[in-house]
């Protein structure tokens, strides 16, 4: 019976509770739903599904899977539990048994009376060098033409007592492998090794492929030559060699792994106090909220331009950074975060990022603002820390550009928080809280998901800085709010932040040097008022605002006058308004407005006062905003065409007023306004929701009902849905056992052709075979394969 059918039978015999647990950890098996257990087993055996499952396997689970794949690779036969346990070195049998049971429950291995087999394409999903070991002696002899004869000549050197008459490359590979597997024989071989051999072997112990060391004459070094002569290294080309699997296991104590990494690595390099942590965290929260509000004001005033190639250029980032008085990394991260929660919107008409829903943001309480940013950060499918790094073509990654997109970023952030919770522990003393070091977090996250180690190393250090800016960590240690966020208790985390942050203040201290000092976090309306009439200096919640003629003119431009500015300062000042500041405001206001500017889309010029009065008296003119700016001039924000139509409806015959030399050309100026002010959404609709891949309990229940109703008899039958997988499984079995096959294919004219071939490898939809009749290698497309039959008793090599 095939492994797929065996798995289908085992799945059918499971209880509903066991199936629920399987479908909960591997939801892709029923997305979309399957009709029966055979289809479920076939999907569980596919490479794509297995790769998803492997990405969530812990290090000890992955070690056991790699050991099973290695021990069943040569002959394709099941591996017994005692043999598997021996290959795992100094590992407790109970721990290994528990892991095997868990792997069986997740349908990653199939266990029968004969032993344990990997499911479907698991060996391919693990990659070319599982466990960091090379290929077997026999596989290397078949794959590298000159290595087979080299093994035959190597047998007298490593096994002098062996018979070498009529020795084939396959037999020689078996003899050398037996020497490497025997501890005493292996020690005798290494006892004769020259200097440098042991060091070279140690370097290849975890990574089987390396470059050859050269000697003084420019050729291979004596150590490399000694290993090549004995077949203990396989030459891949002139510069690279591969350490055979048997040698790699011998270096590990004749095991696949010397021991299982059963416990996650918890390394605490230094600690901090709870008071220092909380002060740093709440200060970071207040600063982030202040910077976000400032950023939105900056973008509302001057939108952020984009490059033709996409993203925001260095000059625009520098402008934002200087206005925020922050670093480039902070400015970029704030831009990315604001865009993720909809506070910045890209206007398709002019390709500029504009402030959206600014009033909604300013109306939120600080805890609601913080919660919005945290949810957006958790769901952000981008990696702001990558911005500024170099692409393979030498160009840099720009802010808000497609190159910074990382669909796996939400998953990595969740793993970061889980690792932080694990490192901190539930019983950490307030006076000795662990500090989250980059290496410690990466190592712990990699234990839970070892196949994602590279992306953890690339993304987690930057995400730790982002978590600190949001107050999820303080002083490098996980905060109470961060622990609540890690447990998906977001509302409780927001409540904790609201209770911990000090109340905002509504007053400032005005000083004689024309500055105002905010003694804490200002109320949003007070901060907005100060920003209209003063320029902020410095960073932090206790900001200093400086008054100048230019800043006062900005308030006058916004519609203020001297009386309203002084009234605001009197209301919100803890001290009297200094005389110098009063003089500055009144003097600037007295010289303001001698020239008046406004927006006009069209104008009417006439010397007839009756016409002017008739137009102004008509209600339709008020709709178009027609106003009189001089005795003979009317202006309107409407276009010339709209104003012409109005005048004609009133019975007049206007003529276009064209400046000399320009001909009859008219223009239309329309105010576009803020990109997001037209659509005001409630705060809860601003929040980004992470896209999680999971199935609901109702979906699992419905799927179980379909599976139980579809089971009408034994699953040991040909199923159309898993036919291609069964063919691939047969091909892989023939490759492992080095057997010939009778392969039926469809030629270009649709004819069914049967041939006896030797399969060498199958991947990427292509089957590489050896034709013994023509003595050539060929490549066959898998989609042309119609049937496969293994010819028993006919090994591929002699």
């Amino acid at each position: 019976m095939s492994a797929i059918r065996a798995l289908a039978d085992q799945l059918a015999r499971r209880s509903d509770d066991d199936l629920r647990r399987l479908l909960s950890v591997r939801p892709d098996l029923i997305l979309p739903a399957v009709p029966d257990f055979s289809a479920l087993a076939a999907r569980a055996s596919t490479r794509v599904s297995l790769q998803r499952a492997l990405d969530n396997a812990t290090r000890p689970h992955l070690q056991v899977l790699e050991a099973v794949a290695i021990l069943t690779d040569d002959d394709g036969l099941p591996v017994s539990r005692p043999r598997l346990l021996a290959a795992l070195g100094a590992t407790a049998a109970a721990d290994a048994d528990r892991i095997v049971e868990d792997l069986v429950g997740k349908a990653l291995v199939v266990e029968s009376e004969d032993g344990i087999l990997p499911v479907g394409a698991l060996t391919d999903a693990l990659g070319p060098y599982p466990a960091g070991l090379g290929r077997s002696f026999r596989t290397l002899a078949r794959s590298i033409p000159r290595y087979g004869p080299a093994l035959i000549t190597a047998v007298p050197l490593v096994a002098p007592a062996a018979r070498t008459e009529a020795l084939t490359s396959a037999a020689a590979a078996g003899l050398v492998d037996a020497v490497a597997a025997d501890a005493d024989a292996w020690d005798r071989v290494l006892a004769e090794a020259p200097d440098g051999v042991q060091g070279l072997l140690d370097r290849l112990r975890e990574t089987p492929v390396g470059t050859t060391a050269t000697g003084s004459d420019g050729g291979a070094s004596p150590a490399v030559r000694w290993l090549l002569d004995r077949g203990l290294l396989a030459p891949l080309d002139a510069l690279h060699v591969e350490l055979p699997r048997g040698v790699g296991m011998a270096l590990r104590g004749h095991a696949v792994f010397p021991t299982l990494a059963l416990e996650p690595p918890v390394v605490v390099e230094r600690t901090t106090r709870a008071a220092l942590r909380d002060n740093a965290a709440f200060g970071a929260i207040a600063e982030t909220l202040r910077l976000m509000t400032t950023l939105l004001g900056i973008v509302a005033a001057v939108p952020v331009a984009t490059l033709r190639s996409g993203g925001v250029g260095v000059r625009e980032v520098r402008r934002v950074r200087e206005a925020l008085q922050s670093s480039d990394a902070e400015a970029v991260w704030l831009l990315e975060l604001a865009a993720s929660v909809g506070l910045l919107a890209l206007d398709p008409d002019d390709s500029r990022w504009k402030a959206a829903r600014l009033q909604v943001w300013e109306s939120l309480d600080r805890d609601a603002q913080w919660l919005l940013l945290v949810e957006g950060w958790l769901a952000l499918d981008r990696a702001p820390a990558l911005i500024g790094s170099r692409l393979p073509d030498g160009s840099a990654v720009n802010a808000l550009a497609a190159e910074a997109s990382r669909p796996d970023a939400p998953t990595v952030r969740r793993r970061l928080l889980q690792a932080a919770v694990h490192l901190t522990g539930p019983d950490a003393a307030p006076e000795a809280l662990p500090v989250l070091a980059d290496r410690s977090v990466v190592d712990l996250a990699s234990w839970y998901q070892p196949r994602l180690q590279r992306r953890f190393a690339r993304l987690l250090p930057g995400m730790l800085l982002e978590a600190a800016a949001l107050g999820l960590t303080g002083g490098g240690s996980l905060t109470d709010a961060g622990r609540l966020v890690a447990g998906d208790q977001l509302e409780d985390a927001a409540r904790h932040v609201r209770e911990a942050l000090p109340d905002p203040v509504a007053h400032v201290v005005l000083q004689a040097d024309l500055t105002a000092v905010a003694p804490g976090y200002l109320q949003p309306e007070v901060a907005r008022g100060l920003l209209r009439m003063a320029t902020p200096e410095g960073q932090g919640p206790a900001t200093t605002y400086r008054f100048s003629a230019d800043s006062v003119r900005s308030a006058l431009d916004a519609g203020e006058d001297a009386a309203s500015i002084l009234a605001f300062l009197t209301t919100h000042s803890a001290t009297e308004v200094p005389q110098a500041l009063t003089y500055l405001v009144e003097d600037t206001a007295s010289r303001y407005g001698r020239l008046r500017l406004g927006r006009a889309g069209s104008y009417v010029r006439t010397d007839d006062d009756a016409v002017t009065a008739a137009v102004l008296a008509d209600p339709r003119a008020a709709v178009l905003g027609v106003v009189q700016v001089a005795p003979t001039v009317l202006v309107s924000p409407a276009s010339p065409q709209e104003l012409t139509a109005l005048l004609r409806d009133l019975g007049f015959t206007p003529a276009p007023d064209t400046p000399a030399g320009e001909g009859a050309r008219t223009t239309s100026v329309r105010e576009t306004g803020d990109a997001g002010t037209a659509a005001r959404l409630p705060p809860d609709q601003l929040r980004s929701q992470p896209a999680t891949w999971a199935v609901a309990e109702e979906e699992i229940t419905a799927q179980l009902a379909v599976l139980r109703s579809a089971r009408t008899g034994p699953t040991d039958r040909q199923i159309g849905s898993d036919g291609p997988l069964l063919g691939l499984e047969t091909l892989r079995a023939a490759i492992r056992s080095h057997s010939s096959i009778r392969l039926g294919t469809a030629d270009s004219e649709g004819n069914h052709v049967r041939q006896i071939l030797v399969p060498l490898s199958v991947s990427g939809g292509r089957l590489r075979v050896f034709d013994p009749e023509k003595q050539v290698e060929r490549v066959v497309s898998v989609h042309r394969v119609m049937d496969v039959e293994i010819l028993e008793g006919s090994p591929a090599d002699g």
Side-chain angles (χ1 to χ4, degrees):
M1 181 185 297
S2 72
I4 293 178
R5 290 170 177 166
L7 177 60
D9 278 340
Q10 290 189 6
L11 293 176
R13 290 194 295 269
R14 291 191 184 188
S15 66
D16 286 355
D17 290 340
D18 288 341
L19 288 174
R20 287 181 186 276
R21 283 191 289 270
L22 169 63
L23 299 180
S24 296
V25 297
R26 297 183 65 181
D28 61 294
L29 297 185
I30 57 173
L31 292 174
V34 292
D36 51 36
F37 282 105
S38 294
L40 183 65
R43 187 173 294 174
S45 303
T46 60
R47 180 171 182 169
V48 174
S49 178
L50 289 169
Q51 284 177 329
R52 292 195 186 103
L54 291 176
D55 285 345
N56 294 313
T58 63
R59 189 174 302 280
H61 286 73
L62 190 61
Q63 286 178 312
V64 174
L65 283 173
E66 290 176 328
V68 171
I70 286 173
L71 296 177
T72 59
D73 180 53
D74 274 344
D75 52 16
L77 299 177
V79 57
S80 63
R81 288 211 182 198
R83 185 183 174 202
L84 176 62
L85 185 62
L88 296 176
T91 301
D95 294 324
D97 289 340
R98 173 179 53 81
I99 293 175
V100 170
E101 293 298 332
D102 195 24
L103 296 176
V104 171
K106 294 178 179 178
L108 296 176
V109 296
V110 178
E111 186 173 21
S112 62
E113 295 179 355
D114 298 329
I116 303 168
L117 272 175
V119 165
L122 180 65
T123 302
D124 292 339
L126 287 171
Y129 297 108
L133 294 172
R135 291 170 287 178
S136 65
F137 283 100
R138 189 170 183 179
T139 301
L140 289 171
R142 289 170 49 83
S143 304
I144 305 174
R146 55 176 173 162
Y147 186 58
L151 283 176
I152 297 176
T153 59
V155 169
L157 298 177
V158 296
R163 299 181 58 183
T164 59
E165 296 83 0
L167 195 63
T168 64
S169 60
L175 289 173
V176 177
D177 194 12
V179 171
D182 187 291
D184 294 334
W186 177 249
D187 290 340
R188 286 195 297 270
V189 171
L190 287 188
E192 303 173 356
D195 295 340
V197 168
Q198 190 61 53
L200 178 60
L201 292 176
D202 289 341
R203 288 195 297 272
L204 296 173
R205 178 178 176 179
E206 303 298 333
T207 305
V209 177
T211 57
T212 57
T214 57
S216 57
D217 58 353
S221 67
V224 172
R225 176 51 53 195
W226 188 88
L227 292 170
L228 290 173
D229 291 342
R230 285 153 181 78
L232 303 181
L233 278 183
L236 299 179
D237 53 39
L239 296 177
H240 298 86
V241 293
E242 180 175 334
L243 190 72
R245 181 179 299 162
V247 179
M249 292 178 61
L251 296 175
R252 300 181 182 186
H254 302 279
V256 177
F257 291 103
T259 184
L260 286 182
L262 296 172
E263 296 297 329
V266 178
V267 179
V268 178
E269 298 180 358
R270 58 190 181 92
T271 61
T272 187
R273 298 198 306 267
L276 296 177
R277 177 201 66 181
D278 293 341
N279 287 340
F282 295 131
I285 292 174
E287 179 67 1
T288 297
L289 297 181
R290 183 190 70 83
L291 287 174
M292 181 60 71
T293 303
T294 305
L295 171 68
L296 297 179
I298 294 168
V299 179
V302 181
V304 177
T306 59
L307 301 171
R308 289 185 178 181
S309 59
V312 178
V314 176
R315 291 184 179 179
E316 282 292 275
V317 171
R318 185 184 301 117
R319 177 179 69 85
V320 173
R321 177 203 68 193
E322 292 174 352
L324 291 175
Q325 299 183 15
S326 64
S327 64
D328 282 342
E330 287 178 317
V332 163
W333 179 67
L334 289 170
L335 286 170
E336 293 276 352
L337 190 58
S340 73
V341 297
L343 295 175
L344 293 183
L346 183 63
D347 190 335
D349 294 332
D350 57 8
S351 297
R352 295 194 300 173
W353 288 93
K354 299 180 179 180
R357 310 185 186 108
L358 177 57
Q359 294 180 1
V360 177
W361 165 262
E362 292 177 340
S363 67
L364 295 176
D365 294 333
R366 284 183 298 169
D367 59 295
Q369 291 178 339
W370 175 83
L371 181 59
L372 173 63
L373 298 183
V374 168
E375 288 181 330
W377 179 72
L378 291 175
L380 179 61
D381 57 351
R382 299 175 57 80
L386 297 181
I387 295 171
S389 61
R390 292 292 172 179
L391 295 172
D393 61 359
S395 60
V397 179
N398 293 317
L400 297 173
E403 290 79 7
S405 177
R406 289 297 296 257
D408 58 344
T411 301
V412 177
R413 291 190 185 94
R414 291 288 181 179
R415 178 55 66 194
L416 163 64
L417 294 176
Q418 294 168 3
V421 170
H422 193 124
L423 280 171
T424 304
D427 303 322
E431 297 302 318
L433 296 174
V435 172
L436 307 176
D438 292 353
R439 180 179 297 275
S440 299
V441 175
V442 171
D443 290 345
L444 182 57
S446 300
W447 184 90
Y448 284 105
Q449 293 176 285
R451 286 168 63 91
L452 307 185
Q453 192 274 336
R454 287 187 178 180
R455 70 184 70 176
F456 288 153
R458 183 168 175 79
L459 299 180
L460 282 182
M463 291 180 178
L464 272 173
L465 298 177
E466 297 166 6
L470 290 171
L472 304 179
T473 64
S477 181
L478 184 69
T479 62
D480 294 336
R483 188 181 294 274
L484 291 171
V485 170
D488 288 328
Q489 298 173 283
L490 298 180
E491 299 296 339
D492 292 339
R495 189 179 307 110
H496 174 77
V497 170
R498 181 174 64 250
E499 295 172 353
L501 286 177
D503 294 332
V505 297
H507 65 276
V508 295
V509 179
L510 296 177
Q511 302 183 114
D513 61 351
L514 300 180
T515 59
V517 178
Y521 184 86
L522 289 174
Q523 292 179 353
E525 60 273 14
V526 179
R528 288 196 299 271
L530 279 174
L531 286 174
R532 283 198 302 269
M533 59 188 68
T535 303
E537 295 179 347
Q539 299 184 18
T543 306
T544 299
Y545 297 83
R546 180 168 297 279
F547 295 91
S548 64
D550 290 338
S551 67
V552 173
R553 275 194 295 269
S554 298
L556 298 174
D557 290 339
E560 302 279 357
D561 55 23
S564 62
I565 294 175
L566 293 175
F568 176 87
L569 295 176
T570 302
T571 302
H572 297 291
S573 174
T575 59
E576 292 186 2
V577 180
Q579 191 177 41
L581 181 56
T582 302
Y583 286 164
L584 174 66
V585 173
E586 292 177 344
D587 182 62
T588 304
S590 65
R591 290 183 284 107
Y592 179 81
R594 293 179 181 177
L595 295 177
R596 311 296 294 183
L597 297 177
R599 182 185 295 274
S602 56
Y603 66 90
V604 177
R605 183 163 57 86
T606 178
D607 295 330
D608 193 338
D609 293 341
V611 173
T612 302
V615 173
L616 293 175
D618 194 281
R620 288 172 291 180
V623 174
L624 292 183
V626 177
V627 295
Q628 187 175 14
V629 296
T632 60
V633 179
L634 303 177
V635 297
S636 170
S639 66
Q641 292 82 0
E642 292 173 309
L643 192 55
T644 299
L646 170 65
L647 295 175
R648 287 175 178 171
D649 288 343
L650 295 179
F652 302 106
T653 55
D657 189 17
T658 305
E662 290 194 6
R665 181 173 60 88
T666 61
T667 59
S668 175
V669 180
R670 297 171 182 246
E671 182 178 0
T672 58
D674 195 330
T677 54
R680 301 295 186 191
L681 294 181
D684 57 341
Q685 294 186 26
L686 282 175
R687 298 176 182 171
S688 302
Q689 299 297 328
T692 57
W693 190 344
V695 290
E697 190 66 26
E698 295 78 10
E699 295 178 87
I700 295 179
T701 301
Q703 179 65 83
L704 290 179
V706 172
L707 292 173
R708 295 303 185 194
S709 63
R711 189 190 176 204
T712 57
T715 59
D716 188 16
R717 55 189 174 88
Q718 179 65 36
I719 302 297
S721 62
D722 61 1
L725 281 173
L726 291 177
L728 289 174
E729 183 182 6
T730 304
L731 287 172
R732 293 189 180 100
I735 293 171
R736 286 194 298 265
S737 60
H738 312 291
S739 301
S740 299
I741 60 172
R742 181 177 286 109
L743 185 68
T745 59
D747 62 15
S748 58
E749 297 179 356
N751 299 318
H752 190 185
V753 181
R754 291 180 180 271
Q755 296 174 290
I756 295 179
L757 303 169
V758 179
L760 301 178
S761 65
V762 56
S763 64
R766 295 186 178 274
L767 170 65
R768 189 167 64 92
V769 297
F770 176 76
D771 189 338
E773 181 179 351
K774 299 180 179 179
Q775 292 293 305
V776 295
E777 283 191 9
R778 295 169 45 198
V779 175
V780 180
S781 297
V782 172
H783 72 273
R784 291 188 178 274
V785 176
M786 300 181 66
D787 54 75
V788 183
E789 178 186 356
I790 297 180
L791 301 180
E792 301 293 342
S794 57
D797 51 354

